[in-house]
């Protein structure tokens, strides 16, 4: 063989080697995971490891981000051209992402069989202009938890109405080192903590004509009751220093008689405060029954270069075994029919207590600029809790600002 032929063959072999390496190079799917608890990251790492074992050519790169900073992180990544391929997001953000062309419609990826596994109630919030813009990944309804030992010591009965809640809060707050009612005033879902009272007083976030409902008499009455309990020492001091996690910790420590919460708190109680004597109850009523129905969405980004691989992982992660482990571990209500059919959701009194509210659940409105509107509400409530403005002043100003945002 001549030197020239040997050189040509060597070059060809090198080219084939490079091509083969490229063909078998790993594809990376970047997945931003919202952190629900300390279990969230390890769970998705476990799912990813099992998927990669079956699909050795695909790597799942998981980044866990706290909920409080998730939207800002995604916004920054999107602006910098570094968005992940898939992410868990708050469904309330989905409309803005869809209108901006950031979210990828998934209709063409969904097989009829896969689509049929989802519960329609939880799939509906992800449908925008007739297109499915994501899949429900977590769901919950809210309820009230009461510390039965504190109620017994105070000689109070678990409340069914707001008047009864006020009376019970007075009695419990008279006990040493105890607060009758936990009031959130900081960070994510501070506005939701107000909606529970708003809805059960007969008000709503938006009026029928799309204008803000915050200036309505029902809204002012709902906020005034919170402020009255705060002023009378029936809540923990300085609610604006307390996030929902802070309230959960107070409740787990046995210091709060009543707290509004979601199923995710139950696994924490069982693990961290197994002797706590509590009961799940509906929200107190004034003029209506209500609970907050919440879904989070698994969204695929429109500019992803690995959509097929990302979707393959999504289908894998929705297998019954993984959904059961996720929902049970985090304390969520199931979003898929097979998991919902488990005896666990009928026999577990805690989960059944949250699920009981689903027939009259309300969802945050699917409107543009929702996070900006929610922030206006939060800041108004904080001014009320800090004594800077009356409920009427703060909520009337907030309603006007929201109407301006909405062009009403």
């Amino acid at each position: 063989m001549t030197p020239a032929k040997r050189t040509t063959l060597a070059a060809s072999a090198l080219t084939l080697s490079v091509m083969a390496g490229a063909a078998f190079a790993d594809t990376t799917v970047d997945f931003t995971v919202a952190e629900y608890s300390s279990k969230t990251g390890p769970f998705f790492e476990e799912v990813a490891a099992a998927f990669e074992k079956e699909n050795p050519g695909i790597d799942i790169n998981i980044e866990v981000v706290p909920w409080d900073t998730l939207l800002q992180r995604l916004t920054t990544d999107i602006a910098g051209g570094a968005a992940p391929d898939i992410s868990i997001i708050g469904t309330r953000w989905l409309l803005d992402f869809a209108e901006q062309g950031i979210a990828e419609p998934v209709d063409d990826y969904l097989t009829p069989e896969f689509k049929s596994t989802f519960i329609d109630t939880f799939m509906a919030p992800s449908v925008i202009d007739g297109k499915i813009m994501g899949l429900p990944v977590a769901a919950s309804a809210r309820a009230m938890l009461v510390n039965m030992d504190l109620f017994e010591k105070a000689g109070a009965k678990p409340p069914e109405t707001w008047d009864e809640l006020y009376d019970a809060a007075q009695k419990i707050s008279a006990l040493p080192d105890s607060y009758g009612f936990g009031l959130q005033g900081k960070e994510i879902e501070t506005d939701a903590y107000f909606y529970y009272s708003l809805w059960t007083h007969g008000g709503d976030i938006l009026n029928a004509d799309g204008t803000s409902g915050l200036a309505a008499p029902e809204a002012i009455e709902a906020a005034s009751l919170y402020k009255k309990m705060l002023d009378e020492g029936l809540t923990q001091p300085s609610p604006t220093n307390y996030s929902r996690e802070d309230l959960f910790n107070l409740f787990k420590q046995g210091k709060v008689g009543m707290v509004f919460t979601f199923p995710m708190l139950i696994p924490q109680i069982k693990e961290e405060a197994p002797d706590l004597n509590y009961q799940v109850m509906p929200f107190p009523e004034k003029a209506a029954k209500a609970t907050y129905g919440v879904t989070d969405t698994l969204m695929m980004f429109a500019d992803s270069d690995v959509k097929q691989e990302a979707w393959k992982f999504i289908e894998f992660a929705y297998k019954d075994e993984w959904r059961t482990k996720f929902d049970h571990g985090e304390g969520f209500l199931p979003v898929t029919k097979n998991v919902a059919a488990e005896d666990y959701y009928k026999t577990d009194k805690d989960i059944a207590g949250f699920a009981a509210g689903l027939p009259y659940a309300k969802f945050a409105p699917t409107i543009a600029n929702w996070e900006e509107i929610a922030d206006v509400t939060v800041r108004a409530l904080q001014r009320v809790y800090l004594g800077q403005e009356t409920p009427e002043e703060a909520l009337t100003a907030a309603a006007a600002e929201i109407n301006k945002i909405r062009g009403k």
Side-chain angles (χ1 to χ4, degrees):
M1 182 178 295
T2 65
K5 285 186 176 180
R6 281 197 296 269
T7 301
T8 301
L9 287 172
S12 298
L14 178 61
T15 301
L16 288 171
S17 175
V18 171
M19 291 174 62
F24 290 103
D26 286 339
T27 297
T28 299
V29 175
D30 291 321
F31 180 17
T32 297
V33 171
E35 186 175 40
Y36 294 101
S37 73
S38 60
K39 299 177 182 179
T40 309
F43 167 78
F44 280 107
E45 290 288 359
E46 183 182 359
V47 178
F51 174 81
E52 290 168 352
K53 187 175 181 180
E54 291 188 14
N55 301 272
I58 306 174
D59 284 340
I60 307 298
N61 176 42
I62 291 175
E63 182 172 10
V64 181
V65 180
W67 267 109
D68 289 338
T69 58
L70 178 60
L71 181 58
Q72 181 58 52
R73 175 58 184 272
L74 290 174
T75 301
T76 301
D77 288 348
I78 291 165
D85 300 295
I86 54 178
S87 178
I88 294 174
I89 68 164
T91 305
R92 58 196 179 278
W93 310 336
L94 190 57
L95 179 62
D96 287 339
F97 283 163
E99 289 185 343
Q100 296 165 19
I102 294 167
E104 171 80 0
V106 300
D107 304 75
D108 293 342
Y109 301 89
L110 267 173
T111 64
E113 181 182 9
F114 188 26
K115 184 179 179 181
S116 70
T117 64
F118 292 94
I119 297 171
D120 293 339
T121 300
F122 295 130
M123 179 69 92
S126 298
V127 179
I128 298 174
D129 293 333
K131 293 182 179 180
I132 301 173
M133 304 305 297
L135 301 177
V137 69
S140 71
R142 306 302 163 82
M144 176 171 63
L145 259 61
V146 300
N147 182 317
M148 296 303 291
D149 287 339
L150 288 181
F151 270 83
E152 184 177 347
K153 290 178 183 177
K157 69 171 188 174
E160 296 180 3
T161 68
W162 280 101
D163 287 341
E164 291 175 353
L165 183 145
Y166 174 77
D167 291 341
Q170 285 183 310
K171 294 175 181 177
I172 292 170
S173 296
L175 298 173
D177 196 28
S178 299
Y179 309 114
F181 177 65
L183 178 60
Q184 181 186 338
K186 178 184 175 183
E187 296 180 358
I188 189 170
E189 289 201 352
T190 292
D191 58 322
Y193 218 85
F194 168 66
Y195 302 149
Y196 308 147
S197 182
L198 170 68
W199 286 325
T200 50
H201 276 82
D204 212 339
I205 297 172
L206 297 178
N207 297 317
D209 61 0
T211 58
S212 173
L214 295 190
E218 296 86 355
I220 294 169
E221 182 182 13
S224 296
L225 178 58
Y226 277 3
K227 185 61 165 64
K228 180 181 180 181
M229 289 194 289
L230 169 58
D231 289 344
E232 294 180 4
L234 308 187
T235 74
Q236 85 283 5
S238 305
T240 53
N241 291 330
Y242 285 81
S243 66
R244 66 183 183 188
E245 288 77 14
D246 297 327
L247 280 189
F248 293 173
N249 288 334
L250 279 182
F251 190 80
K252 286 181 286 189
Q253 292 163 12
K255 295 181 178 180
V256 176
M258 296 166 282
V259 67
F260 296 158
T261 184
F262 51 111
M264 197 175 130
L265 180 56
I266 301 301
Q268 295 180 28
I269 291 174
K270 291 179 177 178
E271 184 174 330
E272 300 170 30
D275 297 328
L276 190 67
N277 182 17
Y278 67 91
Q279 183 176 330
V280 180
M281 295 188 61
F283 290 132
E285 294 178 41
K286 175 72 173 185
K289 286 179 175 289
T291 186
Y292 191 19
V294 179
T295 62
D296 297 323
T297 296
L298 181 56
M299 191 191 90
M300 186 155 61
F301 286 75
D303 65 353
S304 170
D305 294 326
V306 291
K307 293 186 178 74
Q308 294 298 332
E309 292 86 352
W311 187 258
K312 190 171 186 179
F313 172 70
I314 289 171
E315 287 187 323
F316 182 88
Y318 275 93
K319 289 182 177 181
D320 291 345
E321 62 182 293
W322 296 120
R323 291 304 311 178
T324 291
K325 186 168 185 176
F326 179 68
D327 291 338
H328 288 211
E330 299 285 8
F332 287 126
L333 299 177
V335 298
T336 56
K337 295 173 184 175
N338 286 349
V339 177
E342 295 174 1
D343 287 341
Y344 171 75
Y345 292 99
K346 303 180 184 69
T347 59
D348 186 283
K349 65 180 180 64
D350 295 329
I351 296 299
F354 285 97
L358 286 175
Y360 46 85
K362 290 179 174 286
F363 291 83
T366 305
I367 55 176
N369 304 310
W370 170 248
E371 284 301 310
E372 184 180 1
I373 290 168
D375 184 62
V376 170
T377 305
V378 170
R379 286 186 281 110
L381 293 169
Q382 289 175 332
R383 293 196 299 274
V384 171
Y385 301 155
L386 291 168
Q388 297 170 346
E389 295 178 6
T390 67
E392 185 171 3
E393 290 169 343
L395 293 181
T396 299
E401 188 173 352
I402 289 169
N403 290 338
K404 186 176 181 181
I405 293 170
R406 288 184 46 73
K408 298 291 185 181

